[in-house]
Every structure is written in structure tokens, then in C-alpha cells.
Amino acid sequence: MPVITLLPEHKQLELPAESPLIDLEFEYYGEQHLSFGCRSGVCGVCLVKVHHGASLLGPVAENERDFVQRMGFESGPYRLACQCRLNGDVTLEVATRDAMPHATAPSPEPDRAPAL
């Protein structure tokens, strides 16, 4: 079975070949390794950085690539785990907002005068 190595802990998990990565959530009984939100590639909660084995996660669909880029990440090393099917050993890291190349702190709201 293919092995998924999750960084930075180097936790190794196995899933059968052709499994969607979303199966991690069900196979490991609530151990939170990857978070999944919508499960359909439109929320970005399951964004991962692929350190090894990107070609073993299936092709990147155009809508996935576009969504990842709109989030501020480069498609290629970054994938939506819910859109990936495991075809061999991979090494992944859960992407965080801090890793965003264009991450900025949210602007504070301007002071507002009290309503009369």
C-alpha cells in the first residue's frame, strides 16, 4: 500500500492505491491529520504542500489549479487533498495561511462614529 508521510511530524499512514486522500479522515478514526471542509475543492481547508510524489496524486484539474492560485499559492507543489488520488508514496505538509506568499495581516476596521 502507498505510504503518506505527513510533515513536520514524519507521521506515516497507509491507504490503498487509488484512494482519495480524504479517506485519511475515515481510516484513522478521528486522528486529525488533515482537515477537510466542503470535500469538493471549493473551500481550501485541505490545502497541502507536496514535498515528494506530486505526480502520484493524479492530475491537477483546471478548476483546482485556478482555485489554489486564487488563494495565493503556486499550483504544483500545492494541492487540495480532497481532489487527490493516491497512486504511490507521497510526502505532504498541511499548508497554513502563514505560508502564503502574499499573506498580509487583515486591515483593522476604521473607527466609526457611534450611530445617533
Side-chain angles (χ1 to χ4, degrees):
M1 274 200 281
V3 174
I4 303 160
T5 301
L6 293 170
L7 300 177
E9 302 87 7
H10 295 278
K11 174 87 173 175
Q12 293 191 324
L13 309 164
E14 292 182 340
L15 284 177
E18 290 296 314
S19 293
L21 287 185
I22 197 167
D23 283 357
L24 284 171
E25 186 174 42
F26 303 107
E27 291 290 323
Y28 293 97
Y29 310 106
E31 287 184 45
Q32 268 314 82
H33 300 292
L34 286 172
S35 294
F36 293 94
C38 68
R39 296 167 174 75
S40 60
V42 296
C43 73
V45 170
C46 64
L47 187 71
V48 293
K49 182 175 185 180
V50 183
H51 289 272
H52 170 74
S55 65
L56 301 171
L57 292 174
V60 181
E62 185 176 345
N63 59 341
E64 178 188 357
R65 184 186 66 242
D66 292 346
F67 185 78
V68 168
Q69 289 174 343
R70 280 195 311 273
M71 290 177 65
F73 292 89
E74 293 178 44
S75 62
Y78 291 95
R79 296 285 311 266
L80 298 174
C82 70
Q83 301 299 297
C84 298
R85 289 207 171 261
L86 190 60
N87 294 302
D89 295 352
V90 297
T91 302
L92 308 172
E93 176 181 8
V94 176
T96 63
R97 185 159 180 81
D98 296 340
M100 288 181 69
H102 308 297
T104 57
S107 301
E109 288 201 27
D111 290 336
R112 298 179 194 246
L116 298 176

